Amino acid sequence: MNIAIITGASSGLGRDYAGLLDQEGLDEIWLIARRENRLKAIANSLQTPCRTLPLDLTRLESLGEIEKALAENRDMEVRWLICAAGFGRIGSTTDIPITDTLRMIDLNARAAVGVTQLVIPFMSQGSHILEIVSCSAFQPIPGLNIYAATKAFLLRYSRALGAELASQGIQVTAVCPYWIKDTEFIPQARQSDKSGLFTSFPLACTSEVVARRSLRAAKNGITVCTPDVISFLHRILCSLLPHRFLMSASRIFHHLHK
């Protein structure tokens, strides 16, 4: 039995990946997120049979539930693992509640690694792992400090993991988009932005574009996918210019767009 597993599947990128993988001829799609009603609605909209796992991945016991579900299905092959669960907070580090700070680290970094490590034994040649990172991973970003740091971790993890799994024929792709304008991410992230550090998001792309382009990139063996013009240019600039300069430029850019 060939399956896909998607975290963060109840909305945004996770929902769009589910829709695209519905066309891949899989036997089953596992949808993982906190909101059970949304997972069921998405499952009902797909042609592929779905299994819904309503779990909060910031809780260690949720990884135990995934491990148990995997152990009960030893005969399956995970052809796609997409770790799309994550959230961010905008604002000075001292303005963001410590509970949110720790949850960002738990969900964006620890949970992604935990789920990935649990699933790898069920993958084989031709399987794909997509870790949803962000172009914020390319440099330190004041006002988006913790989120960008978690994504920098995930980017390094993804690239090294890809090298480790290459001999098994398992492809790992780090997906590093710019802002996505049609998900819950921006409204939720701005809740902590007391100083108006990020008030507009010019040239933001859509989640459907990111999902579609990144799936194509994964199929073509691309290890780091920058699915839009801004993320592509950001990656190039960050490879050429000092981080101190880029942090100053970032502050000027956001000041001009207030």
Side-chain angles (χ1 to χ4, degrees), residues 56-180:
D56 180 354
L57 293 178
T58 64
R59 299 172 62 87
L60 281 174
E61 49 265 44
S62 293
L63 293 180
E65 291 296 317
I66 295 172
E67 184 176 25
K68 179 181 177 181
L70 290 167
E72 292 171 350
N73 295 271
R74 301 297 305 184
D75 60 336
M76 70 185 181
E77 288 279 341
V78 179
R79 310 312 296 173
W80 292 90
L81 168 63
I82 300 179
C83 293
F87 80 100
R89 289 288 183 265
I90 297 170
S92 169
T93 299
T94 55
D95 288 337
I96 298 173
I98 191 169
T99 51
D100 284 354
T101 294
L102 296 179
R103 284 184 65 242
M104 267 190 283
I105 296 169
D106 282 345
L107 186 58
N108 299 352
R110 182 186 57 77
V113 172
V115 171
T116 301
Q117 191 157 335
L118 288 173
V119 172
I120 287 172
F122 296 84
M123 308 185 90
S124 60
Q125 185 169 353
S127 294
H128 296 273
I129 298 172
L130 274 71
E131 303 287 355
I132 309 308
V133 187
S134 161
C135 69
S136 67
F138 300 144
Q139 69 165 91
I141 301 181
L144 204 62
N145 181 10
I146 304 302
Y147 176 78
T150 63
K151 294 303 184 176
F153 167 87
L154 195 56
L155 175 60
R156 302 298 187 272
Y157 167 75
S158 299
R159 300 206 69 177
L161 182 65
E164 292 176 2
L165 297 179
S167 63
Q168 300 177 45
I170 300 172
Q171 171 67 35
V172 181
T173 299
V175 183
C176 303
Y178 180 58
W179 295 107
I180 300 175

